[in-house]
Amino acid sequence: MDRKKDIKALLSRYLKELFLSTMRQCYADLANQAQQESLSYEQYLLTLAEQECITRRNNRIERNLRESKIPRDKNIDTFDLKRVPGKVAHQVRSLLEGSFVDHKENILAFGNPGSGKTHLLCAIGQELIRKGRKVYFAPCSLMVQDLLKAKQELQLSRALKKLSKYDALIIDDIGYVHQDRSEMEVLFTLLADRYERGSVMITSNLPFSKWEQIFKDPMVTAAAIDRLVHHSVILELNIESYRMEAVKKKKSKKKQCPGREFK
Ligand code: ADP
Ligand code: MG
């Protein structure tokens, strides 16, 4: 009896020392189950090891989702793929597999405000994380401000190195109008640094023809576009705003059954 207790105490201690917390939590219940089902020693050990791996993988995904700063509600389950053009839906299905990051390919999503660009790239980003990749999301304005601050503190290369650990960067809304040249310079530096080294996923309300508004100089604009487009998938979301459509639907419903209006 005492020996049994000793074994449990020792096992618990060793598993703790080895950082096998799931095994420590599950081994006793699984041992009972294994006995009832006459499992072999190997099968029992396999189930235990599997539990440990599954928990670790899930914890890692959870940590990476948190670190990515991607809004959680913008995922593929909440995105209505039927709303986007057939070609885009087809492209998205293949992008969700995630191999584009292995080839350091970029995604460029264009379209009107409200067409779903941010939601769609966030959804792809979350799927990448679930497949074990690391992703970081930031509105372009914030990313640029962070890089500018790093540059002023002579830490730009360190900041770029930190970003380089992500398989994909989601830079949301690159079309916002920049105030001064130093902003566009750090943005260009970031894009040049990522070129063929890591994927960039960009949303923009501005077509390429208007990107001089972002990069000011025609040569810099051409160089930025050239690098981004070289290995890229372009998603054209030329559709009506989701919010606008929702408002219209609401209005037409009210017209159909005015008697059911609640005040
Ligand atoms: P954009 O970045 O193109 O301006 P957003 O991705 O911010 O557009 O979308 C605007 C709003 O509409 C968000 O709340 C988003 O979740 C929602 N939305 C857009 N497209 C879809 C879609 N196909 N399915 C579900 N929600 C959508
Ligand atoms: Mg957006």
Side-chain angles (χ1 to χ4, degrees):
M1 189 70 184
D2 274 340
R3 202 176 131 65
K4 233 182 184 176
K5 256 193 197 163
D6 283 350
I7 291 177
K8 282 199 168 178
L10 268 178
L11 186 54
S12 201
R13 210 180 80 198
Y14 289 148
L15 290 174
K16 191 173 178 186
E17 211 172 300
L18 290 165
F19 302 104
L20 296 167
S21 58
T22 305
M23 276 193 163
R24 186 163 162 254
Q25 229 171 30
C26 303
Y27 82 88
D29 284 349
L30 280 176
N32 285 336
Q33 207 179 323
Q35 228 162 21
Q36 279 165 23
E37 293 172 19
S38 312
L39 297 187
S40 67
Y41 295 124
E42 284 90 346
Q43 277 172 317
Y44 168 61
L45 188 58
L46 174 68
T47 316
L48 260 188
E50 231 165 33
Q51 290 292 334
E52 183 70 43
C53 284
I54 291 171
T55 318
R56 283 191 190 198
R57 197 177 311 131
N58 289 343
N59 289 346
R60 196 165 47 242
I61 289 172
E62 188 55 39
R63 225 177 17 250
N64 287 343
L65 278 171
R66 233 180 297 128
E67 200 190 311
S68 75
K69 308 254 175 66
I70 297 178
R72 286 295 179 96
D73 57 332
K74 310 257 178 268
N75 56 56
I76 200 65
D77 295 332
T78 55
F79 191 81
D80 182 3
L81 256 185
K82 289 196 287 296
R83 247 201 115 240
V84 303
K87 183 181 170 199
V88 174
H90 182 74
Q91 288 171 304
V92 169
R93 276 187 211 104
S94 134
L95 291 171
L96 286 170
E97 285 165 19
S99 58
F100 74 97
V101 293
D102 300 331
H103 310 124
K104 321 289 182 208
E105 280 174 1
N106 303 321
I107 305 181
L108 308 168
F110 292 101
N112 316 318
S115 55
K117 304 178 294 295
T118 302
H119 191 146
L120 184 54
L121 293 204
C122 285
I124 296 172
Q126 290 202 36
E127 287 311 296
L128 288 178
I129 294 173
R130 286 180 214 289
K131 289 198 159 69
R133 266 67 171 238
K134 293 198 78 175
V135 181
Y136 184 70
F137 167 92
C140 184
S141 52
L142 203 72
M143 181 105 61
V144 164
Q145 289 313 315
D146 285 348
L147 291 174
L148 263 184
K149 190 164 169 270
K151 191 178 176 186
Q152 278 151 14
E153 293 165 359
L154 305 178
Q155 300 283 337
L156 184 58
S157 58
R158 198 166 161 202
L160 292 173
K161 196 171 169 204
K162 225 169 142 188
L163 290 175
S164 72
K165 72 176 180 175
Y166 295 101
D167 299 293
L169 288 186
I170 305 178
I171 306 177
D172 192 30
D173 230 342
I174 203 179
Y176 93 102
V177 179
H178 295 255
Q179 296 303 313
D180 61 54
R181 278 188 96 82
S182 59
E183 291 193 349
M184 79 79 181
E185 271 168 22
V186 285
L187 180 59
F188 183 80
T189 307
L190 170 67
L191 296 179
D193 189 74
R194 297 288 296 185
Y195 178 61
E196 293 190 334
R197 281 204 246 167
S199 295
V200 178
M201 298 161 71
I202 284 178
T203 72
S204 181
N205 301 328
L206 291 180
F208 284 139
S209 57
K210 294 193 177 151
W211 275 31
E212 231 180 281
Q213 288 177 26
I214 308 171
F215 291 101
K216 315 291 184 212
D217 179 278
M219 290 298 279
V220 179
T221 309
I225 294 174
D226 196 53
R227 278 174 174 78
L228 280 173
V229 171
H230 187 194
H231 310 283
S232 70
V233 176
I234 294 180
L235 304 175
E236 306 238 28
L237 286 164
N238 294 320
I239 50 175
E240 195 182 4
S241 155
Y242 185 83
R243 288 178 283 246
M244 200 68 100
E245 196 179 87
V247 170
K248 277 188 190 165
K249 268 188 194 157
K250 220 172 165 184
K251 275 190 184 160
S252 79
K253 249 191 193 162
K254 268 189 185 171
K255 267 188 199 159
Q256 277 167 14
C257 47
R260 296 197 61 192
E261 208 173 68
F262 295 103
K263 294 252 161 72

